[in-house]
Amino acid sequence: MSKHRVSRRQFLNYTLTGVGGFMAAGMLMPMVRFAVDPVLKAKDAGDFVATKMKESELTTEPQRVDFTVEQVDAWYKSEETRTAWVYKDDKGEIVALSPVCKHLGCTVDWNTDKSNPNKFFCPCHYGLYTKDGMNVPGTPPLGPLDMYEHKVKDGILYLGTVKPHKGA
């Protein structure tokens, strides 16, 4: 047996320090994991989603393209249907516009207003956009329609995240 004896006060001090350390570690580890997990999470190879639209089917007339993305809310996974207006411009480049009006978030449609042909029309407050997604001056929208990132792989159109319009 050792000649150095531990007093009751030292024993309680060691015990409380050890228990306090375990409790602190128990509280800090979830916080550290919460902060570090998103950084270490493996990213998908791009956030592009395949649509049912083939590149060969695209014309100069905007077409409505619906596609489905997987949405994760905490532990709940669901599928959400999104929409884009897609066409080829005069140069033959693909343009993919978001249908969400920049005024109050209503959905715009192509060529549905008889008095304003060949324009995107928002029925909520009579907002107008030109074919390239730019807002028509004097109408409620304050900015152009957002654009989807896009790519073509094996002849199929893939849509990605929404970005602000290049002309904004």
Side-chain angles (χ1 to χ4, degrees), residues 20-146:
F22 278 115
M23 290 176 65
M27 289 188 304
L28 286 176
M29 286 308 292
M31 290 183 221
V32 169
R33 182 168 178 191
F34 178 77
V36 173
D37 254 1
V39 174
L40 300 178
K41 183 179 178 184
K43 299 286 183 191
D44 294 333
D47 293 331
F48 287 92
V49 177
T51 64
K52 295 178 182 175
M53 180 66 69
K54 295 180 182 175
E55 182 184 20
S56 59
E57 296 172 347
L58 292 175
T59 64
T60 56
E61 185 77 12
Q63 299 175 54
R64 182 182 171 142
V65 176
D66 294 325
F67 59 102
T68 305
V69 295
E70 185 177 275
Q71 183 172 329
V72 180
D73 293 322
W75 63 89
Y76 181 71
K77 291 182 181 181
S78 63
E79 289 187 349
E80 178 185 351
T81 302
R82 295 187 182 166
T83 302
W85 287 100
V86 184
Y87 68 96
K88 286 189 177 180
D89 64 10
D90 297 334
K91 300 174 193 171
E93 295 178 12
I94 297 173
V95 177
L97 297 170
S98 169
V100 179
C101 180
K102 299 301 275 187
H103 179 226
L104 291 176
C106 295
T107 303
V108 300
D109 285 321
W110 171 251
N111 207 14
T112 55
D113 184 26
K114 303 286 185 228
S115 59
N116 294 293
N118 297 323
K119 288 189 173 49
F120 287 104
F121 175 68
C122 178
C124 294
H125 298 100
Y126 302 106
L128 290 173
Y129 296 92
T130 58
K131 183 178 176 181
D132 62 355
M134 297 302 291
N135 54 312
V136 175
T139 61
L142 301 174
L145 293 172
D146 291 332

Side-chain angles (χ1 to χ4, degrees), residues 147-158:
M147 301 180 83
Y148 280 101
E149 289 183 331
H150 61 277
K151 69 179 181 179
V152 176
K153 183 178 177 187
D154 299 327
I156 303 293
L157 176 67
Y158 285 76

